[in-house]
Amino acid sequence: MARTAIHLKTQLVDILCRDEADGIGNAEPYLWPVFFKIDGDSFAVDAVGLIGFPTIIATNGNHGNLGDTDVDQGDRVVIPEALGTQTTLLKPIPVNDPTLRMVIGDDLPGIAGAVVVLMEQDSWPNNIATTGYNALVEAVRLGVAKAAASFQHATSPPTKEQIDAQIEAVKTMAAKMVTGAILEYMSGAQTAWYGTVGNNDDKIGTEAWTVNQDDFTEVNFKTFVRRWKDDESDGNGDWEITAMFINLDGPVVVPDQCAKIAEQIQSLLEELKSASDINERKKILQTLGQLRQRSRKLGCPIV
């Protein structure tokens, strides 16, 4: 049976600072987000296989784009909607070739994703930060196009393992292109300064996520959490980002249900602060997990 298009919302929810690792004073994080999709808007399967060009959506890579430049341990920064939220109509990829249609079916699921780089501001002027972001956008454009080309002659949707391998290739390409663009942009004096005694802006971590239409046959949304501990952030602290992909055409969520679950979760979190018995803590944590799982299935906001 042919798939139908879905309205998909990609939302970078918030960033949790577990340890800012910025010595005296607080951290000044900023985010480089890039969104993309491979779907029936610009792709089709013809006699030569999968052909088309990915849709890439950029926002901005400016210093201070999270709206909070004074972040300390334990702070949670809500990512502004204009920076970290995109809504699109995700369409199935039509199989136009009749021979391949007999093997693959009427269509393939559309794929959507996001790439993020979490940065921490130090001494770069803002134009160097935006140069790095623009290089990231181009790297994602090229990398996603290459990933799609690698699936050109596939007779079934790509597996998670295949997609994960392509994501790693995109991240590697992005790192090289961003570094190269920044070095090329800097003047000779700046390069000498930032390459020796200068204080470069720091990269905390990079991540990418993808979903496809088939991921939403039984659930309304998918949530991803990525944590960069001190060893992964190259000594730049312990940070965590949450992202959600939401099928807006899924079941309508009753607000009262979400409010009740959120209230229960907050009550348990307060209990957890004062619970000293290990068994009591385990019981509370287990209940919290069950409530959050139920919340996710309903499509409620993350608590």
Side-chain angles (χ1 to χ4, degrees):
M1 186 175 70
R3 296 173 176 85
T4 58
I6 62 172
H7 290 87
L8 183 71
K9 179 179 181 180
T10 304
Q11 182 179 6
L12 306 177
V13 181
D14 57 25
I15 294 167
L16 172 63
C17 175
R18 295 179 180 273
D19 176 13
E20 87 285 357
D22 210 36
I24 298 174
N26 293 347
E28 300 176 85
Y30 61 103
L31 189 66
W32 289 347
V34 185
F35 305 90
F36 64 88
K37 68 173 182 173
I38 300 170
D39 77 335
D41 251 354
S42 54
F43 278 88
V45 179
D46 289 333
V48 296
L50 180 67
I51 56 172
F53 298 93
T55 300
I56 307 295
I57 302 169
T59 53
N60 78 80
N62 291 316
H63 284 160
N65 63 7
L66 290 170
D68 190 342
T69 56
D70 188 21
V71 180
D72 200 358
Q73 180 177 336
D75 290 348
R76 188 181 294 273
V77 181
V78 176
I79 299 171
E81 186 172 341
L83 177 70
T85 300
Q86 292 292 324
T87 300
T88 188
L89 183 63
L90 189 63
K91 301 177 181 179
I93 300 169
V95 179
N96 296 331
D97 182 78
T99 302
L100 286 173
R101 193 182 300 131
M102 294 176 63
V103 179
I104 302 174
D106 293 331
D107 52 48
L108 293 173
I111 298 172
V115 178
V116 298
V117 179
L118 182 59
M119 300 288 294
E120 205 277 315
Q121 181 180 343
D122 283 315
S123 295
W124 281 357
N126 190 61
N127 55 4
I128 293 181
T130 56
T131 295
Y133 178 66
N134 291 335
L136 174 66
V137 173
E138 290 308 307
V140 172
R141 190 186 312 278
L142 181 58
V144 173
K146 285 187 173 182
S150 73
F151 304 136
Q152 183 177 8
H153 300 293
T155 56
S156 62
T159 65
K160 181 181 183 302
E161 289 72 23
Q162 289 172 322
I163 291 176
D164 286 347
Q166 292 301 323
I167 284 176
E168 289 305 313
V170 170
K171 288 162 66 175
T172 300
M173 179 183 298
K176 292 179 179 178
M177 288 183 65
V178 168
T179 301
I182 289 172
L183 289 175
E184 184 178 354
Y185 183 83
M186 287 178 175
S187 67
Q190 285 177 318
T191 302
W193 171 258
Y194 290 116
T196 54
V197 297
N199 190 12
N200 283 315
D201 285 9
D202 298 316
K203 184 189 77 172
I204 294 169
T206 304
E207 191 52 85
W209 307 279
T210 64
V211 295
N212 68 54
Q213 286 178 275
D214 293 347
D215 289 329
F216 301 98
T217 54
E218 296 182 358
V219 297
N220 193 23
F221 70 99
K222 292 180 72 68
T223 302
F224 298 90
V225 177
R226 177 63 160 100
R227 181 177 178 181
W228 299 283
K229 295 184 179 180
D230 192 69
D231 55 341
E232 279 194 282
S233 72
D234 196 24
N236 294 309
D238 187 345
W239 300 78
E240 185 177 289
I241 186 170
T242 298
M244 293 180 68
F245 294 83
I246 306 164
N247 174 16
L248 297 177
D249 300 324
V252 177
V253 178
V254 179
D256 286 349
Q257 290 179 305
C258 292
K260 288 178 181 177
I261 293 174
E263 186 178 343
Q264 290 175 301
I265 289 174
Q266 291 297 342
S267 176
L268 286 170
L269 288 173
E270 290 301 318
E271 286 186 38
L272 189 63
K273 290 179 182 178
S274 58
S276 56
D277 181 75
I278 184 66
N279 292 321
E280 183 183 359
R281 291 181 63 84
K282 285 181 178 179
K283 185 177 179 180
I284 293 172
L285 288 170
Q286 183 179 19
T287 306
L288 276 170
Q290 292 169 347
L291 285 170
R292 283 176 169 149
Q293 184 177 21
R294 183 183 171 198
S295 179
R296 285 194 295 269
K297 287 183 177 179
L298 286 172
C300 301
I302 293 178
V303 179

